Amino acid sequence: VDSYEIGFKKDFGHTLQFDAAAFYYNYTDLQAPVSSSICASGTCTNVTRFVNIAQSRSYGLELDAIWQPIDHLQFSLDYSYNPTKILKSEQFVDLNDNHNFGTTANPLYFQPVSVVGNNLPQAPRNKIAINGNYTFVLDQGKLNIGANFLWRDKAYSNIFTQRWNMAPSWSQVDLRASFTPTSNKYQVIVYVKNVGNTLGYDSAASGSNRDPANFPINTGYNTSNTPPRTYGIEVHYKFF
């Protein structure tokens, strides 16, 4: 990989901190997983192997900002933009595309397809995280209350940029409160993750196109989901 990066940091007064980074990655022979069928004695087994993508690229921008308009109140914003593309590659067979058959003489033979122009696997184009928190200074200690919002763009499970290989975009909200006494001997944290119990996608998982006219009906479609609403309490204690 040929990696080019440039960064910028700037404080605007005493309340705003801004960081930016731009990058460009040029990959040669990047390895990507592809499902293959191995047949022997009339029995075929699908296995995953890694193939070399001749040339691909990933570039983008990362922005981080922290704003503290008044004492004890803080907001932060993280944003990343990362379009990816396969620039040069041989053709590969997509075993998940059940309608990519070969000739009429051998209809079960899958035709190799071009992946040039497709996205790289598990690479959402946009990601956003917004956080806000406030610290109450009490006689007994400090109480911090905060909320976090996360949004992630769609992503594909493999080098075949098809809708049955796509995990949709998703978002969730998390809440967190912590109390630290003036002695600083312990800390109590209460949290709720995924407050709205929304459906999220930790990563894209491959699907299978059985009926393109009625997708996703009659279609094998697999996703790896984020946890549902989760809440709990943590206690941290310092012995020394």
Side-chain angles (χ1 to χ4, degrees), residues 101-165:
F101 293 149
T103 64
T104 56
N106 188 3
L108 296 182
Y109 171 74
F110 287 86
Q111 292 267 35
V113 295
S114 174
V115 296
V116 173
N118 290 358
N119 297 17
L120 292 178
Q122 311 293 0
R125 176 169 293 196
N126 298 280
K127 291 190 294 184
I128 299 175
I130 302 174
N131 177 270
N133 66 87
Y134 186 84
T135 301
F136 296 88
V137 181
L138 311 173
D139 293 338
Q140 299 85 355
K142 294 181 179 181
L143 174 65
N144 180 272
I145 298 177
N148 186 71
F149 171 79
L150 173 66
W151 180 84
R152 183 171 294 181
D153 210 345
K154 64 183 180 181
Y156 294 91
S157 64
N158 50 45
I159 58 176
F160 303 106
T161 306
Q162 300 287 357
R163 52 183 177 171
W164 54 85
N165 295 326

Side-chain angles (χ1 to χ4, degrees), residues 176 178-181 184-189 234-238:
R176 184 178 186 273
S178 65
F179 176 76
T180 305
N184 203 32
K185 287 290 293 182
Y186 67 89
Q187 183 182 47
V188 179
I189 301 172
E234 297 179 6
V235 178
H236 301 171
Y237 187 84
K238 295 181 180 179

Side-chain angles (χ1 to χ4, degrees), residues 66-135:
I66 300 176
W67 181 41
Q68 188 169 329
I70 60 174
D71 289 344
H72 312 305
L73 177 63
Q74 186 180 83
F75 298 98
S76 65
L77 169 67
D78 298 319
Y79 171 72
S80 65
Y81 174 71
N82 179 213
T84 63
K85 181 178 288 189
I86 296 175
L87 303 176
K88 183 180 179 182
S89 174
E90 65 178 284
Q91 295 185 340
F92 298 103
V93 170
D94 182 5
L95 292 181
N96 292 321
D97 188 350
N98 294 343
H99 285 74
N100 182 30
F101 293 149
T103 64
T104 56
N106 188 3
L108 296 182
Y109 171 74
F110 287 86
Q111 292 267 35
V113 295
S114 174
V115 296
V116 173
N118 290 358
N119 297 17
L120 292 178
Q122 311 293 0
R125 176 169 293 196
N126 298 280
K127 291 190 294 184
I128 299 175
I130 302 174
N131 177 270
N133 66 87
Y134 186 84
T135 301

